[in-house]
Structures are given as C-alpha cells and as structure tokens.
Amino acid sequence: EDKVVQSPLSLVVHEGDTVTLNCSYEVTNFRSLLWYKQEKKAPTFLFMLTSSGIEKKSGRLSSILDKKELFSILNITATQTGDSAIYLCAVRAGNNRKLIWGLGTSLAVNP
Amino acid sequence: DVKVTQSSRYLVKRTGEKVFLECVQDMDHENMFWYRQDPGLGLRLIYFSYDVKMKEKGDIPEGYSVSREKKERFSLILESASTNQTSMYLCASSPRVPGELFFGEGSRLTVL
C-alpha cells in the first residue's frame, strides 16, 4: 500500500532557529513530491520536486528530494513566528491523478 | 490571481439533513477534488473529477456523492448528514497535466 510518512509530527522552536522537516514515502511508480504550508485555512503550495538532488529554494525555505532513499526534506532557516503552520507533504504516484498525503508536521515558532 | 471558491465557510446542520457544498474555480482546470481533513487523519480524498460529468471515488466516498455539470463547478452532496461527517471539507483543482493543487478556503461542517 502506498504511504507517505512525515516526521516529526510536531515541533516547537524559537525564532531564529533552523528546522528540518522530513517526508519519506513508499509508493509505486513515483511521479512527484509536493510540499504545502497550511495555516488556519487552505494549504498553500510551496514546492514540487521531481528530480533527485536538485534543491528548490524560496527565500528562507528550501527542499530537496532523494529518490534513491525515498525521502525529501524541507528546511526553514532563521524561522519567524509567521512560519508557524502545519507543513504537508504529498506524493503523486501511479496514474498521476491522485496524491498520497502525509499527516503533516505541526511547527510552532515562539518569539 | 488563481482562485478556488467554496460557497460556505461554516455550516451547522442536523442529522439527516441534505447538505450541498459548492466549489467554483476560475482557472479552467480539468481536475477537481473534494477532501476532508480531520485531526490525526490528515487529508482524505472523497471524490475527484477529471472532466465534466466524470467522477471517480476517492478513498472515503461512502455517504457522499458529487456533481460536475460544468467545468468550473464541483459540488459535494451529503444525502443524509451524520455526526461522523463533522469535518473540514477542502475543494481543490489542478490542470490536466498534473502539477500543484490549488485549494479553496475550506468549509467547516458541524452536524448535530
């Protein structure tokens, strides 16, 4: 059965810390991996990764995929209170239409 | 700007009532999805549609039906609401060549 596992489930850090969130997967016929940020409302898209070893970057956030070891990490440097959210990882596999979602990592950044 | 709009942000219904949740997207996307999100269970796919009048069951379709009469609109129907359908419902859309999903703001349904 296809599955996506995120760790840790929750994390509390202080402003300025660097955090690394993990997403590992076991799926048939991997297509892509997506990261989303969810604050109080709808998830908003962060990154889509399809190739191993190529870092995607947006400001203080970056992400990389390892297709050999079947995981991705999301890094956030110099965290701010506005980074407090649930970070969701999803993998597209198989026939390409559906996503398999992890349970998310709840990040709290304290001032 | 890309937009997915869900008709109701908050609803309170009674057990046995029929519930309609509507979703409209303005991006001309072929694919549309209905998820529910519950603490500890994550996002679970109820139904999706890849074309007008086409629908496919997701992982938890029981107790739900959908309608897609026009490309931009995807409706979720609870024929007879039950308390275990209390949840946050998220609609999303994506283009035919799958990339990111664009989500609506969510509809929080409480069934009493």
Side-chain angles (χ1 to χ4, degrees):
Chain A
E1 185 186 336
D2 293 339
K3 65 179 179 181
V4 173
V5 177
Q6 292 187 246
S7 62
L9 286 181
S10 67
L11 192 55
V12 181
V13 301
H14 291 290
E15 263 191 320
D17 287 351
T18 293
V19 298
T20 298
L21 310 183
N22 300 286
C23 176
S24 63
Y25 60 90
E26 290 178 32
V27 301
T28 303
N29 197 11
F30 172 91
R31 304 280 188 173
S32 59
L33 184 144
L34 293 85
W35 283 99
Y36 281 81
K37 176 183 181 183
Q38 185 175 23
E39 295 173 85
K40 292 197 190 307
K41 301 183 284 190
T44 54
F45 174 75
L46 295 174
F47 300 112
M48 184 167 75
L49 304 151
T50 54
S51 302
S52 262
I54 298 173
E55 186 183 52
K56 294 239 176 161
K57 201 169 168 65
S58 176
R60 295 177 294 102
L61 278 67
S62 64
S63 183
I64 198 160
L65 174 67
D66 185 329
K67 288 168 76 174
K68 184 179 175 190
E69 300 297 329
L70 308 182
F71 75 94
S72 172
I73 59 171
L74 175 69
N75 276 324
I76 309 174
T77 59
T79 51
Q80 302 171 358
T81 54
D83 295 325
S84 296
I86 297 173
Y87 290 84
L88 297 167
C89 171
V91 171
R92 181 169 280 117
N95 70 3
N96 228 8
R97 290 202 180 104
K98 294 198 304 183
L99 288 170
I100 304 134
W101 292 86
L103 293 183
T105 293
S106 177
L107 173 65
V109 181
N110 292 331
Chain B
D1 219 8
V2 151
K3 204 160 176 68
V4 178
T5 304
Q6 294 184 228
S7 55
S8 307
R9 293 291 311 280
Y10 301 95
L11 300 97
V12 180
K13 297 290 182 180
R14 296 207 175 275
T15 302
E17 281 192 274
K18 191 168 187 175
V19 182
F20 291 90
L21 299 178
E22 289 216 309
C23 175
V24 178
Q25 50 98 0
D26 64 1
M27 296 164 281
D28 203 35
H29 284 166
E30 286 77 13
N31 301 321
M32 294 188 75
F33 306 82
W34 275 106
Y35 288 92
R36 63 178 284 178
Q37 186 175 32
D38 302 285
L41 297 176
L43 278 162
R44 293 182 291 167
L45 182 64
I46 305 170
Y47 268 97
F48 66 102
S49 168
Y50 52 88
D51 205 346
V52 176
K53 297 195 188 291
M54 305 299 285
K55 60 185 179 186
E56 282 196 29
K57 293 180 180 178
D59 301 315
I60 50 161
E62 297 79 18
Y64 303 94
S65 62
V66 291
S67 170
R68 190 153 181 216
E69 296 296 318
K70 293 185 178 181
K71 189 176 186 180
E72 67 271 17
R73 191 178 297 267
F74 192 36
S75 301
L76 180 70
I77 303 144
L78 289 66
E79 292 289 341
S80 177
S82 63
T83 54
N84 64 12
Q85 292 178 310
T86 292
S87 187
M88 169 68 88
Y89 290 88
L90 290 166
C91 175
S93 71
S94 74
R96 182 179 300 285
V97 177
E100 63 184 277
L101 262 63
F102 296 85
F103 283 88
E105 299 270 280
S107 298
R108 185 165 293 281
L109 172 67
T110 301
V111 183
L112 302 174

